[in-house]
Amino acid sequence: MAFPVRSTYRLQLRGSASGSAFTFADAENLLDYLDELGVSHLYLSPILSAVTGSSHGYDVTDPTTVSPELGGAEGLARLSAAARARGMGLTVDIVPNHVGVDQPQQNPWWWDVLQHGRSSDYATYFDIDWDLDQQGRIVLPVLGSDDDVADLTVDGDLVRLGDLALPITPGTGDGSGPEVHDRQHYRLVGWRSGVVGYRRFFSITSLAGLRQEDRAVFDANHAEIARWFREGLVDGICIDHPDGLTDPSGDLAWLRELVGPDAWIVIERS
């Protein structure tokens, strides 16, 4: 650890699309004030790429990148350097057990699974019940009612209904919206049906659980976090809802390997 922990100050970061931005640059502008208060470490809310306009950052859509809305990797590096110049450090909230799927196009892993089904490289990243549908499709409870399937339209390589956009598997895009829908690796149903084809975070349909007990999934999900510690940008992490993991103790052991012996790990208790 670069500096001893005396006190932390939590900052809730938000991108401009949220309507009230507070970015890495805004945090940097507060450093002198926080230093005068005696703060030793800034405690940042999640900073990985989340749903555009997210006001909290817990709906991560791309765990391999720092949110461009907040200033991206360069903004994080500048904040870290400015903090260290004052003898201060950073700790960051991380979200290991789920990703945001409310806007499928913004989540490359989820989008690929919807487009390619079981043949997707990311199919094993999620707990998907492929047997729930007789044709082996992912059941997505995202419609107002089952009858809304009749209103689906085809827009190039997308199936659309209002703001909802989903991928079309190559070679399956001919015909009406309902006809194309029936050829996809997913089946859309009404959210009131109580049927869902993937493990969620509690009952939140827009958050899909990740199989962190699989080391390949863990490594992919933590690659960017590993870089922060490898490059000395961050001193510690706070783990959001480890109770949602299949093997919390195993995940924590892997995290310790990843961040090294000197970094500090805080566990959120639900």
Side-chain angles (χ1 to χ4, degrees):
M1 186 183 303
F3 307 106
V5 179
R6 299 188 306 273
S7 61
T8 62
Y9 193 103
R10 191 180 192 280
L11 297 176
Q12 179 63 56
L13 303 177
R14 296 180 297 271
S16 57
S18 69
S20 55
F22 191 86
T23 66
F24 294 136
D26 295 312
E28 188 175 344
N29 290 334
L30 284 180
L31 286 176
D32 287 340
Y33 168 70
L34 296 175
D35 190 19
E36 290 178 5
L37 288 181
V39 172
S40 68
H41 286 74
L42 277 66
Y43 169 24
L44 306 179
S45 60
I47 62 174
L48 295 170
S49 296
V51 172
T52 300
S54 176
S55 62
H56 48 78
Y58 290 94
D59 45 359
V60 172
T61 53
D62 184 0
T64 68
T65 60
V66 175
S67 171
E69 282 195 271
L70 302 180
E74 297 81 6
L76 173 62
R78 286 193 296 270
L79 175 60
S80 178
R84 274 158 166 62
R86 294 167 173 80
M88 303 168 70
L90 303 180
T91 185
V92 179
D93 219 343
I94 67 169
V95 191
N97 58 8
H98 61 264
V99 289
V101 296
D102 191 44
Q103 299 294 326
Q105 281 180 292
Q106 296 183 29
N107 188 321
W109 294 353
W110 188 245
W111 188 260
D112 197 79
V113 172
L114 296 181
Q115 188 170 41
H116 300 290
R118 296 191 200 210
S119 64
S120 168
D121 291 340
Y122 307 103
T124 58
Y125 282 35
F126 303 92
D127 281 314
I128 296 172
D129 185 354
W130 298 102
D131 297 324
L132 186 61
D133 176 79
Q134 291 183 351
Q135 298 179 39
R137 298 175 293 179
I138 310 168
V139 179
L140 305 180
V142 296
L143 302 179
S145 74
D146 291 352
D147 294 337
D148 288 343
V149 169
D151 297 323
L152 293 173
T153 61
V154 176
D155 179 12
D157 58 357
L158 300 175
V159 168
R160 289 190 180 275
L161 179 65
D163 294 333
L164 179 66
L166 295 164
I168 294 175
T169 300
T172 66
D174 293 332
S176 67
E179 290 170 341
V180 172
H181 165 261
D182 287 344
R183 302 188 195 107
Q184 301 314 303
H185 294 287
Y186 51 83
R187 176 165 64 92
L188 308 183
V189 299
W191 66 270
R192 293 181 179 85
S193 67
V195 179
V196 60
Y198 57 94
R199 179 173 61 85
R200 301 172 291 184
F201 176 59
F202 291 113
S203 61
I204 304 174
T205 301
S206 61
L207 299 175
L210 287 172
R211 298 185 62 251
Q212 295 284 35
E213 69 275 13
D214 183 324
R215 187 60 195 250
V217 178
F218 175 92
D219 288 343
N221 194 55
H222 290 80
E224 175 61 16
I225 296 167
R227 183 185 70 82
W228 302 343
F229 288 92
R230 190 169 60 249
E231 297 182 8
L233 300 173
V234 170
D235 301 305
I237 50 176
C238 178
I239 305 163
D240 180 70
H241 280 291
D243 53 332
L245 300 169
T246 298
D247 181 16
S249 61
D251 188 82
L252 289 171
W254 288 345
L255 273 173
R256 176 52 70 193
E257 293 175 11
L258 182 145
V259 303
D262 297 325
W264 51 297
I265 299 175
V266 177
I267 302 171
E268 180 187 271
R269 297 184 65 182
S270 300

